[in-house]
Amino acid sequence: MSRAGSVVGLRSGVTASQDSDGLLHIVFLSTGRHCLYEVEGEALEAVRLLGDSRPWEDVLQGVQVKHPDFTASRLEAILDTLEAEDALDVAARAEVPPAGDVETAVYEKQVSFFRDFAGTAAAARSVQSRLRQGKVTVIGAGGMGSWVIQSLAMTGVGQVLVIDPDTVSAGNLSRQVLYGPADIGQPKALVVRDKIQTLTGGRVRVDVALETFSAETGPGIFSGSDLVINCSDEPSVHMTTDWVSAACMPQGIPFVAGGGYTGHIGFVGTTIVPGATACWECYKASYYEQPRYQLEHIAGDRRRAGAFSPMAAVIANLQAWDALRVLGGLGEPLLANRVGELDAQTLTIQWRTFERVQCCRGCATAEKG
Ligand SMILES: [Zn+2]
């Protein structure tokens, strides 16, 4: 079928080069795949013109300037080859965003990133639209939450609900992004709202709840959320995740549980999609089986453990990436059915996997989202 009437071009992340022997090199930057072709001058000219997306007719006529015998069927054959290698994007003219659109310009490189996962340019733009229409609730705007919220906002998630009753203190400033000395004493959630408003030019709406998250507030406050990320560790990550799980599972809301860092170890995951992945109770069944967790606290305060901005940023953004995968439909969550411990001294992640437990009482509460 002819692509006449369409806009055609090499897809983002693909480059074409010519070597001294005249061979055409097509290189896929995201995977390193490298294809070599022996081609004639008209094909090289066509590929050169495809470096920028343009109407099919412009490519045909552009090649014909130097090669008057170049035909539509020859162009189609070249495009067939490129498409078979997944090196081509073809779009109806109506699908191509208008030039000069600010939102398109802001997210252009990001949509190119999504293209590698989504399959087509149109599907990559749909991912961005899903993020734009998404609503994510983040519990806690501290060392983890502030980085998570910043990444969600920069990525273009349309609505973020921030739940945090705390105010900014001097001790937060070494690792909690978005806060400065002038914010000390101000409610974190309000500072976040104003900063995100400024950073995104109002594209991202931040709603705030200046209340302490609890088992009681969970179900109501999550209503309408597409995803929840728990970045709260008071009274403990486990307790707050218990509450998040109890609220999210019956509503079919995916959530990213826990995560955090103590000293030089960062804890990554898990991501739970009700009805599809192992749930929080499945995790706990695995977690509590380990003797080292069968402990009774006697003394010492984990809140005095060391904390470090780069660790907070890394852990938070691993969680954010998984949340965005779920929200944007970019693929299976990478933190499902496992948790990881990132060691800052070696940059290794030790993964611990777990599976859905048969007849799990947590899984039984799941409303499949
Ligand atoms: Zn379960």
Side-chain angles (χ1 to χ4, degrees):
M1 194 174 74
S2 171
R3 298 172 182 83
S6 303
V7 173
V8 291
L10 290 182
R11 79 168 175 90
S12 56
V14 172
T15 64
S17 313
Q18 187 181 12
D19 67 20
S20 55
D21 295 328
L23 291 172
L24 173 66
H25 296 239
I26 300 285
V27 178
F28 297 77
L29 300 176
S30 61
T31 62
R33 192 154 64 94
H34 194 145
C35 303
L36 272 179
Y37 300 93
E38 279 188 52
V39 294
E40 297 169 357
E42 58 188 25
L44 280 175
E45 183 63 11
V47 169
R48 191 182 67 75
L49 290 168
L50 290 166
D52 292 314
S53 290
R54 63 185 80 217
W56 178 93
E57 289 77 6
D58 289 4
V59 180
L60 179 65
Q61 290 162 15
V63 178
Q64 286 173 337
V65 169
K66 291 182 181 174
H67 305 275
D69 296 335
F70 188 67
T71 62
S73 61
R74 178 75 184 115
L75 174 58
E76 287 298 330
I78 294 167
L79 297 177
D80 284 345
T81 301
L82 291 171
E83 194 161 50
E85 297 287 1
D86 192 25
L88 185 73
D89 271 337
V90 182
R93 292 190 193 198
E95 291 176 346
V96 178
D101 176 57
V102 172
E103 185 135 344
T104 300
V106 168
Y107 299 116
E108 186 180 15
K109 286 182 79 75
Q110 177 172 295
V111 171
S112 294
F113 176 82
F114 294 154
R115 169 67 177 81
D116 285 330
F117 301 87
T120 66
R125 288 195 292 273
S126 296
V127 171
Q128 190 64 51
S129 295
R130 280 197 289 277
L131 299 182
R132 184 86 177 87
Q133 291 157 14
K135 178 180 175 183
V136 176
T137 296
V138 181
I139 309 164
M144 294 288 298
S146 59
W147 290 98
V148 164
I149 294 162
Q150 175 175 265
S151 283
L152 296 178
M154 292 181 80
T155 314
V157 171
Q159 284 187 65
V160 180
L161 169 63
V162 178
I163 304 174
D164 197 313
D166 288 347
T167 55
V168 178
S169 66
N172 300 148
L173 302 187
S174 68
R175 67 194 177 284
Q176 299 187 14
V177 74
L178 299 172
Y179 307 131
D183 303 317
I184 290 173
Q186 300 297 313
K188 287 182 177 178
L190 295 180
V191 175
V192 164
R193 183 187 65 188
D194 294 347
K195 292 280 169 67
I196 296 299
Q197 164 79 25
T198 303
L199 287 172
T200 67
R203 282 190 308 280
V204 177
R205 175 178 145 185
V206 175
D207 298 313
V208 303
L210 299 175
E211 60 193 67
T212 302
F213 175 70
S214 70
E216 288 71 36
T217 56
I221 210 161
F222 293 165
S223 177
S225 292
D226 298 301
L227 189 132
V228 173
I229 307 177
N230 183 25
C231 300
S232 168
D233 59 0
E234 291 290 343
S236 73
V237 172
H238 268 229
M239 195 170 289
T240 53
T241 306
D242 278 345
W243 300 336
V244 170
S245 176
C248 285
M249 293 297 283
Q251 300 187 71
I253 302 172
F255 61 101
V256 183
Y261 51 102
T262 302
H264 67 273
I265 300 291
F267 300 94
V268 188
T270 179
T271 299
I272 291 165
V273 180
T277 68
C279 80
W280 183 241
E281 298 299 328
C282 296
Y283 165 69
K284 288 201 299 184
S286 157
Y287 177 88
Y288 287 124
E289 282 169 8
Q290 298 199 15
R292 70 169 167 140
Y293 295 114
Q294 307 284 336
L295 305 176
E296 182 184 352
H297 181 74
I298 298 171
D301 188 341
R302 62 178 174 77
R303 288 172 296 190
R304 291 206 297 269
F308 182 46
S309 160
M311 277 293 274
V314 167
I315 299 296
N317 281 299
L318 291 176
Q319 316 265 60
W321 167 225
D322 222 33
L324 292 165
R325 286 175 69 88
V326 173
L327 190 65
L330 276 163
E332 296 297 314
L334 299 172
L335 298 177
N337 305 333
R338 64 175 178 171
V339 292
E341 291 184 2
L342 168 67
D343 188 334
Q345 306 225 49
T346 59
L347 286 188
T348 53
I349 298 181
Q350 189 173 8
W351 293 105
R352 193 148 48 84
T353 59
F354 52 96
E355 296 177 349
R356 291 186 77 170
V357 174
Q358 282 195 331
C359 303
C360 169
R361 62 188 170 91
C363 289
T365 65
E367 169 75 27
K368 202 165 181 180

